[in-house]
Amino acid sequence: MVDDLTENVQKSVKKFPAEVLTLLRSKNLLRSLLQRMVIDQACAALQLPETTLNEVIANFCKKHGLSDNERLEQYLAHQGLTKSDLMHQLGIPLKVQHYSLEHFSAKAEAHFLKRKEELDQFTYSLLRIEDSDLAHELYLQIEAGEADFTALATEHSQGREKSSHGLVGPASLSRAHPLLRQRLRTATQGVLMEPFKIEQWWVVTRLEERQLATFDTNMQKRMAIELFDAWVEQQTNELISALRGDQLANGAVE
């Protein structure tokens, strides 16, 4: 099936006049076009119920303030589209969701387990300064209830969290320093941690909320779509490589 899909896209692209391919490459549009062609080809056999399509276009019109057919026609004319084009575009995300679940749901849970650490969300208060004595003094003030973490972070913190009044997240810990990530993953929610050193910083932090990702129906859909996206990327890479090989063989690329 995959071989047929790739072959069909290749055949379609090879029908493009040379000047069209040159234009697409020069405007850096070739990859995005091939990606869309792969998606269209994969979902070609899927038919959405008319009621679903009508609901989708009604929601689209409501969102964009297209309150009657005249405004819709003006929008289509401005975009250079037909109503059929618009219906096709609006239907693609639904088809992708259906195709992804049909072909990738069996691998979704394994993909989730690989991604779980990135998907877990943490909200925490953070204050970092280079002065050890000041860090411990501020820690004691917060611990004793003499000062508010938010106020002290806003006044004293020397990191980017200063602009958010010391509050970080909800966010993944994947980009946090490994030591901070380790401390927060094992922290008790709401308990202020004693200052500890990370590189040149003395850090005071407190875990505010931990939202651990779970593999439910919505997560299964999300993971299946991620796997589908990766598959589309792989097919696109192979098509790009094949086209470039043809160009080199024909002397079209210097």
Side-chain angles (χ1 to χ4, degrees):
M1 177 183 172
V2 173
D3 291 340
D4 290 343
L5 181 149
T6 305
E7 185 178 346
N8 288 339
V9 174
Q10 279 183 309
K11 286 180 179 178
S12 297
V13 174
K14 285 180 178 179
K15 293 178 183 178
F16 293 174
E19 58 269 23
V20 171
L21 282 174
T22 299
L23 180 63
L24 289 169
R25 289 197 306 270
S26 68
K27 301 301 181 185
N28 200 26
L29 295 173
L30 183 58
R31 171 172 286 275
S32 59
L33 175 63
L34 289 174
Q35 287 174 333
R36 294 189 181 208
M37 291 178 73
V38 169
I39 294 170
D40 278 352
Q41 189 68 35
C43 300
L46 298 175
Q47 297 295 325
L48 296 174
E50 186 175 349
T51 52
T52 300
L53 287 173
N54 289 337
E55 182 179 348
V56 167
I57 197 166
N59 290 336
F60 176 86
C61 289
K62 182 178 180 180
K63 179 179 178 180
H64 291 82
L66 307 174
S67 55
D68 52 44
N69 284 332
E70 182 179 353
R71 285 184 172 82
L72 175 58
E73 289 300 326
Q74 289 173 351
Y75 171 86
L76 293 171
H78 180 72
Q79 298 295 328
L81 299 172
T82 65
K83 189 172 182 179
S84 178
D85 294 330
L86 180 62
M87 297 282 276
H88 173 76
Q89 292 176 10
L90 295 177
I92 285 295
L94 297 176
K95 290 184 177 183
V96 164
Q97 186 177 101
H98 181 86
Y99 185 95
S100 299
L101 284 172
E102 182 178 351
H103 293 272
F104 295 100
S105 61
K107 299 179 180 180
E109 187 168 9
H111 182 60
F112 165 76
L113 293 174
K114 289 180 183 178
R115 293 259 288 114
K116 188 177 185 308
E117 188 170 324
E118 299 173 57
L119 296 167
D120 291 341
Q121 299 286 294
F122 292 76
T123 302
Y124 54 99
S125 295
L126 180 68
L127 187 162
R128 50 183 165 169
I129 53 180
E130 293 183 329
D131 187 317
S132 171
D133 291 338
L134 179 57
H136 284 82
E137 179 185 334
L138 298 179
Y139 162 76
L140 291 173
Q141 289 182 25
I142 299 169
E143 179 70 10
E146 297 173 1
D148 179 66
F149 200 127
T150 299
L152 293 184
T154 304
E155 182 179 355
H156 295 285
S157 191
Q158 296 172 305
R160 288 179 297 176
E161 67 280 350
K162 181 183 182 76
S163 63
S164 60
H165 310 295
L167 193 65
V168 181
S172 165
L173 294 180
S174 58
R175 294 186 179 181
H177 189 280
L179 181 55
L180 178 61
R181 184 164 64 240
Q182 177 188 351
R183 294 289 184 100
L184 288 170
R185 280 201 166 275
T186 58
T188 300
Q189 187 170 313
V191 176
L192 187 68
M193 298 185 212
E194 291 189 22
F196 57 95
K197 203 166 192 295
I198 297 180
E199 298 176 353
Q200 80 271 29
W201 303 108
W202 281 93
V203 173
V204 181
T205 189
R206 180 176 64 206
L207 177 65
E208 305 296 351
E209 186 178 10
R210 179 190 289 113
Q211 297 171 299
L212 300 181
T214 57
F215 188 71
D216 54 15
T217 300
N218 288 332
M219 186 60 73
Q220 183 185 34
K221 291 177 182 178
R222 179 177 169 182
M223 294 297 100
I225 289 175
E226 282 192 8
L227 289 168
F228 172 79
D229 289 342
W231 174 79
V232 169
E233 186 70 11
Q234 179 186 353
Q235 301 309 309
T236 303
N237 288 340
E238 291 177 7
L239 286 164
I240 290 282
S241 179
L243 283 172
R244 184 164 178 80
D246 291 343
Q247 293 158 12
L248 289 169
N250 295 328
V253 177
E254 296 180 359

PDB file of all heavy atoms in Angstrom, residues 127-138 156 158 195 197 200-204:
ATOM      1  N   LEU A 127      13.112  30.533  41.877  1.00  0.00           N
ATOM      2  CA  LEU A 127      13.876  31.742  42.160  1.00  0.00           C
ATOM      3  C   LEU A 127      15.345  31.344  42.105  1.00  0.00           C
ATOM      4  O   LEU A 127      15.751  30.389  42.766  1.00  0.00           O
ATOM      5  CB  LEU A 127      13.508  32.273  43.544  1.00  0.00           C
ATOM      6  CG  LEU A 127      14.056  33.625  44.018  1.00  0.00           C
ATOM      7  CD1 LEU A 127      13.214  34.143  45.187  1.00  0.00           C
ATOM      8  CD2 LEU A 127      15.508  33.546  44.452  1.00  0.00           C
ATOM      9  N   ARG A 128      16.126  32.026  41.300  1.00  0.00           N
ATOM     10  CA  ARG A 128      17.564  31.684  41.226  1.00  0.00           C
ATOM     11  C   ARG A 128      18.414  32.957  41.241  1.00  0.00           C
ATOM     12  O   ARG A 128      18.142  33.916  40.530  1.00  0.00           O
ATOM     13  CB  ARG A 128      17.872  30.838  39.986  1.00  0.00           C
ATOM     14  CG  ARG A 128      17.324  31.384  38.696  1.00  0.00           C
ATOM     15  CD  ARG A 128      17.612  30.448  37.538  1.00  0.00           C
ATOM     16  NE  ARG A 128      16.786  30.807  36.384  1.00  0.00           N
ATOM     17  CZ  ARG A 128      16.956  30.310  35.158  1.00  0.00           C
ATOM     18  NH1 ARG A 128      17.916  29.441  34.933  1.00  0.00           N
ATOM     19  NH2 ARG A 128      16.162  30.671  34.180  1.00  0.00           N
ATOM     20  N   ILE A 129      19.430  32.885  42.058  1.00  0.00           N
ATOM     21  CA  ILE A 129      20.372  33.998  42.196  1.00  0.00           C
ATOM     22  C   ILE A 129      21.767  33.420  42.383  1.00  0.00           C
ATOM     23  O   ILE A 129      21.937  32.247  42.708  1.00  0.00           O
ATOM     24  CB  ILE A 129      20.012  34.918  43.390  1.00  0.00           C
ATOM     25  CG1 ILE A 129      19.858  34.097  44.670  1.00  0.00           C
ATOM     26  CG2 ILE A 129      18.752  35.714  43.113  1.00  0.00           C
ATOM     27  CD1 ILE A 129      19.514  34.926  45.864  1.00  0.00           C
ATOM     28  N   GLU A 130      22.785  34.263  42.222  1.00  0.00           N
ATOM     29  CA  GLU A 130      24.166  33.789  42.316  1.00  0.00           C
ATOM     30  C   GLU A 130      24.718  33.866  43.746  1.00  0.00           C
ATOM     31  O   GLU A 130      25.718  33.232  44.050  1.00  0.00           O
ATOM     32  CB  GLU A 130      25.054  34.607  41.372  1.00  0.00           C
ATOM     33  CG  GLU A 130      24.714  34.361  39.900  1.00  0.00           C
ATOM     34  CD  GLU A 130      25.634  35.113  38.952  1.00  0.00           C
ATOM     35  OE1 GLU A 130      26.098  36.214  39.342  1.00  0.00           O
ATOM     36  OE2 GLU A 130      25.889  34.600  37.847  1.00  0.00           O
ATOM     37  N   ASP A 131      24.055  34.608  44.613  1.00  0.00           N
ATOM     38  CA  ASP A 131      24.518  34.816  45.984  1.00  0.00           C
ATOM     39  C   ASP A 131      23.926  33.749  46.910  1.00  0.00           C
ATOM     40  O   ASP A 131      22.714  33.710  47.150  1.00  0.00           O
ATOM     41  CB  ASP A 131      24.101  36.220  46.451  1.00  0.00           C
ATOM     42  CG  ASP A 131      24.690  36.584  47.804  1.00  0.00           C
ATOM     43  OD1 ASP A 131      24.688  35.730  48.708  1.00  0.00           O
ATOM     44  OD2 ASP A 131      25.150  37.730  47.952  1.00  0.00           O
ATOM     45  N   SER A 132      24.788  32.890  47.467  1.00  0.00           N
ATOM     46  CA  SER A 132      24.338  31.808  48.342  1.00  0.00           C
ATOM     47  C   SER A 132      23.651  32.326  49.604  1.00  0.00           C
ATOM     48  O   SER A 132      22.583  31.832  50.001  1.00  0.00           O
ATOM     49  CB  SER A 132      25.529  30.930  48.732  1.00  0.00           C
ATOM     50  OG  SER A 132      25.168  30.007  49.722  1.00  0.00           O
ATOM     51  N   ASP A 133      24.251  33.318  50.238  1.00  0.00           N
ATOM     52  CA  ASP A 133      23.679  33.842  51.483  1.00  0.00           C
ATOM     53  C   ASP A 133      22.287  34.428  51.254  1.00  0.00           C
ATOM     54  O   ASP A 133      21.364  34.202  52.046  1.00  0.00           O
ATOM     55  CB  ASP A 133      24.599  34.917  52.071  1.00  0.00           C
ATOM     56  CG  ASP A 133      25.908  34.341  52.591  1.00  0.00           C
ATOM     57  OD1 ASP A 133      25.939  33.124  52.876  1.00  0.00           O
ATOM     58  OD2 ASP A 133      26.888  35.095  52.690  1.00  0.00           O
ATOM     59  N   LEU A 134      22.130  35.174  50.161  1.00  0.00           N
ATOM     60  CA  LEU A 134      20.829  35.769  49.865  1.00  0.00           C
ATOM     61  C   LEU A 134      19.799  34.685  49.564  1.00  0.00           C
ATOM     62  O   LEU A 134      18.639  34.777  49.996  1.00  0.00           O
ATOM     63  CB  LEU A 134      20.935  36.745  48.690  1.00  0.00           C
ATOM     64  CG  LEU A 134      19.638  37.433  48.260  1.00  0.00           C
ATOM     65  CD1 LEU A 134      19.013  38.202  49.429  1.00  0.00           C
ATOM     66  CD2 LEU A 134      19.882  38.366  47.068  1.00  0.00           C
ATOM     67  N   ALA A 135      20.220  33.660  48.840  1.00  0.00           N
ATOM     68  CA  ALA A 135      19.295  32.556  48.514  1.00  0.00           C
ATOM     69  C   ALA A 135      18.770  31.912  49.791  1.00  0.00           C
ATOM     70  O   ALA A 135      17.567  31.641  49.922  1.00  0.00           O
ATOM     71  CB  ALA A 135      20.000  31.527  47.638  1.00  0.00           C
ATOM     72  N   HIS A 136      19.653  31.661  50.749  1.00  0.00           N
ATOM     73  CA  HIS A 136      19.221  31.036  52.006  1.00  0.00           C
ATOM     74  C   HIS A 136      18.355  31.984  52.836  1.00  0.00           C
ATOM     75  O   HIS A 136      17.411  31.553  53.503  1.00  0.00           O
ATOM     76  CB  HIS A 136      20.446  30.581  52.806  1.00  0.00           C
ATOM     77  CG  HIS A 136      21.067  29.323  52.276  1.00  0.00           C
ATOM     78  ND1 HIS A 136      21.957  29.315  51.210  1.00  0.00           N
ATOM     79  CD2 HIS A 136      20.900  28.022  52.633  1.00  0.00           C
ATOM     80  CE1 HIS A 136      22.325  28.080  50.964  1.00  0.00           C
ATOM     81  NE2 HIS A 136      21.702  27.270  51.802  1.00  0.00           N
ATOM     82  N   GLU A 137      18.680  33.262  52.778  1.00  0.00           N
ATOM     83  CA  GLU A 137      17.866  34.244  53.510  1.00  0.00           C
ATOM     84  C   GLU A 137      16.445  34.304  52.943  1.00  0.00           C
ATOM     85  O   GLU A 137      15.457  34.314  53.695  1.00  0.00           O
ATOM     86  CB  GLU A 137      18.526  35.622  53.423  1.00  0.00           C
ATOM     87  CG  GLU A 137      17.735  36.710  54.135  1.00  0.00           C
ATOM     88  CD  GLU A 137      18.325  38.099  53.936  1.00  0.00           C
ATOM     89  OE1 GLU A 137      19.542  38.205  53.689  1.00  0.00           O
ATOM     90  OE2 GLU A 137      17.552  39.079  54.012  1.00  0.00           O
ATOM     91  N   LEU A 138      16.347  34.330  51.618  1.00  0.00           N
ATOM     92  CA  LEU A 138      15.025  34.379  50.982  1.00  0.00           C
ATOM     93  C   LEU A 138      14.254  33.090  51.244  1.00  0.00           C
ATOM     94  O   LEU A 138      13.032  33.119  51.466  1.00  0.00           O
ATOM     95  CB  LEU A 138      15.177  34.617  49.481  1.00  0.00           C
ATOM     96  CG  LEU A 138      15.834  35.943  49.071  1.00  0.00           C
ATOM     97  CD1 LEU A 138      15.944  36.042  47.549  1.00  0.00           C
ATOM     98  CD2 LEU A 138      15.056  37.133  49.620  1.00  0.00           C
ATOM     99  N   HIS A 156      14.015  39.641  43.182  1.00  0.00           N
ATOM    100  CA  HIS A 156      15.402  39.187  43.298  1.00  0.00           C
ATOM    101  C   HIS A 156      15.863  38.199  42.222  1.00  0.00           C
ATOM    102  O   HIS A 156      17.074  38.096  41.989  1.00  0.00           O
ATOM    103  CB  HIS A 156      15.609  38.523  44.661  1.00  0.00           C
ATOM    104  CG  HIS A 156      15.454  39.450  45.818  1.00  0.00           C
ATOM    105  ND1 HIS A 156      16.419  40.384  46.172  1.00  0.00           N
ATOM    106  CD2 HIS A 156      14.428  39.606  46.707  1.00  0.00           C
ATOM    107  CE1 HIS A 156      16.012  41.050  47.226  1.00  0.00           C
ATOM    108  NE2 HIS A 156      14.802  40.613  47.584  1.00  0.00           N
ATOM    109  N   GLN A 158      17.231  36.257  39.138  1.00  0.00           N
ATOM    110  CA  GLN A 158      18.078  36.716  38.036  1.00  0.00           C
ATOM    111  C   GLN A 158      17.884  35.882  36.773  1.00  0.00           C
ATOM    112  O   GLN A 158      18.616  36.047  35.802  1.00  0.00           O
ATOM    113  CB  GLN A 158      19.545  36.663  38.474  1.00  0.00           C
ATOM    114  CG  GLN A 158      19.847  37.623  39.618  1.00  0.00           C
ATOM    115  CD  GLN A 158      21.240  37.433  40.186  1.00  0.00           C
ATOM    116  OE1 GLN A 158      21.616  36.342  40.589  1.00  0.00           O
ATOM    117  NE2 GLN A 158      22.018  38.516  40.208  1.00  0.00           N
ATOM    118  N   PRO A 195      17.610  25.705  49.362  1.00  0.00           N
ATOM    119  CA  PRO A 195      18.419  26.121  48.205  1.00  0.00           C
ATOM    120  C   PRO A 195      19.453  25.062  47.829  1.00  0.00           C
ATOM    121  O   PRO A 195      20.057  24.434  48.702  1.00  0.00           O
ATOM    122  CB  PRO A 195      19.103  27.401  48.706  1.00  0.00           C
ATOM    123  CG  PRO A 195      18.211  27.906  49.779  1.00  0.00           C
ATOM    124  CD  PRO A 195      17.648  26.695  50.453  1.00  0.00           C
ATOM    125  N   LYS A 197      22.499  24.143  44.493  1.00  0.00           N
ATOM    126  CA  LYS A 197      23.290  24.808  43.464  1.00  0.00           C
ATOM    127  C   LYS A 197      23.160  24.099  42.123  1.00  0.00           C
ATOM    128  O   LYS A 197      23.246  22.873  42.028  1.00  0.00           O
ATOM    129  CB  LYS A 197      24.764  24.860  43.869  1.00  0.00           C
ATOM    130  CG  LYS A 197      25.558  25.970  43.168  1.00  0.00           C
ATOM    131  CD  LYS A 197      26.891  26.188  43.869  1.00  0.00           C
ATOM    132  CE  LYS A 197      27.567  27.470  43.372  1.00  0.00           C
ATOM    133  NZ  LYS A 197      27.952  27.466  41.990  1.00  0.00           N
ATOM    134  N   GLN A 200      26.081  28.122  38.118  1.00  0.00           N
ATOM    135  CA  GLN A 200      26.424  29.327  38.895  1.00  0.00           C
ATOM    136  C   GLN A 200      25.276  29.793  39.782  1.00  0.00           C
ATOM    137  O   GLN A 200      25.419  30.764  40.533  1.00  0.00           O
ATOM    138  CB  GLN A 200      26.858  30.473  37.961  1.00  0.00           C
ATOM    139  CG  GLN A 200      25.710  31.239  37.291  1.00  0.00           C
ATOM    140  CD  GLN A 200      25.273  30.641  35.974  1.00  0.00           C
ATOM    141  OE1 GLN A 200      25.389  29.422  35.762  1.00  0.00           O
ATOM    142  NE2 GLN A 200      24.788  31.484  35.071  1.00  0.00           N
ATOM    143  N   TRP A 201      24.121  29.113  39.703  1.00  0.00           N
ATOM    144  CA  TRP A 201      22.930  29.591  40.401  1.00  0.00           C
ATOM    145  C   TRP A 201      22.707  28.858  41.720  1.00  0.00           C
ATOM    146  O   TRP A 201      22.959  27.656  41.844  1.00  0.00           O
ATOM    147  CB  TRP A 201      21.682  29.379  39.538  1.00  0.00           C
ATOM    148  CG  TRP A 201      21.723  30.014  38.191  1.00  0.00           C
ATOM    149  CD1 TRP A 201      21.849  29.373  36.989  1.00  0.00           C
ATOM    150  CD2 TRP A 201      21.630  31.406  37.887  1.00  0.00           C
ATOM    151  NE1 TRP A 201      21.833  30.282  35.962  1.00  0.00           N
ATOM    152  CE2 TRP A 201      21.706  31.545  36.481  1.00  0.00           C
ATOM    153  CE3 TRP A 201      21.482  32.552  38.667  1.00  0.00           C
ATOM    154  CZ2 TRP A 201      21.641  32.767  35.840  1.00  0.00           C
ATOM    155  CZ3 TRP A 201      21.425  33.779  38.037  1.00  0.00           C
ATOM    156  CH2 TRP A 201      21.502  33.879  36.631  1.00  0.00           C
ATOM    157  N   TRP A 202      22.138  29.609  42.676  1.00  0.00           N
ATOM    158  CA  TRP A 202      21.510  28.999  43.844  1.00  0.00           C
ATOM    159  C   TRP A 202      20.003  29.052  43.612  1.00  0.00           C
ATOM    160  O   TRP A 202      19.454  30.112  43.330  1.00  0.00           O
ATOM    161  CB  TRP A 202      21.901  29.736  45.122  1.00  0.00           C
ATOM    162  CG  TRP A 202      23.280  29.336  45.570  1.00  0.00           C
ATOM    163  CD1 TRP A 202      24.456  29.951  45.267  1.00  0.00           C
ATOM    164  CD2 TRP A 202      23.606  28.207  46.379  1.00  0.00           C
ATOM    165  NE1 TRP A 202      25.508  29.273  45.825  1.00  0.00           N
ATOM    166  CE2 TRP A 202      25.014  28.198  46.517  1.00  0.00           C
ATOM    167  CE3 TRP A 202      22.859  27.196  46.985  1.00  0.00           C
ATOM    168  CZ2 TRP A 202      25.678  27.214  47.252  1.00  0.00           C
ATOM    169  CZ3 TRP A 202      23.521  26.221  47.717  1.00  0.00           C
ATOM    170  CH2 TRP A 202      24.917  26.228  47.849  1.00  0.00           C
ATOM    171  N   VAL A 203      19.375  27.899  43.701  1.00  0.00           N
ATOM    172  CA  VAL A 203      17.976  27.762  43.294  1.00  0.00           C
ATOM    173  C   VAL A 203      17.076  27.489  44.490  1.00  0.00           C
ATOM    174  O   VAL A 203      17.367  26.633  45.335  1.00  0.00           O
ATOM    175  CB  VAL A 203      17.838  26.597  42.274  1.00  0.00           C
ATOM    176  CG1 VAL A 203      16.365  26.329  41.960  1.00  0.00           C
ATOM    177  CG2 VAL A 203      18.612  26.914  41.004  1.00  0.00           C
ATOM    178  N   VAL A 204      15.994  28.234  44.557  1.00  0.00           N
ATOM    179  CA  VAL A 204      14.915  27.966  45.513  1.00  0.00           C
ATOM    180  C   VAL A 204      13.691  27.637  44.678  1.00  0.00           C
ATOM    181  O   VAL A 204      13.326  28.386  43.766  1.00  0.00           O
ATOM    182  CB  VAL A 204      14.627  29.197  46.405  1.00  0.00           C
ATOM    183  CG1 VAL A 204      13.510  28.870  47.406  1.00  0.00           C
ATOM    184  CG2 VAL A 204      15.888  29.646  47.119  1.00  0.00           C
TER     185      VAL A 204
END
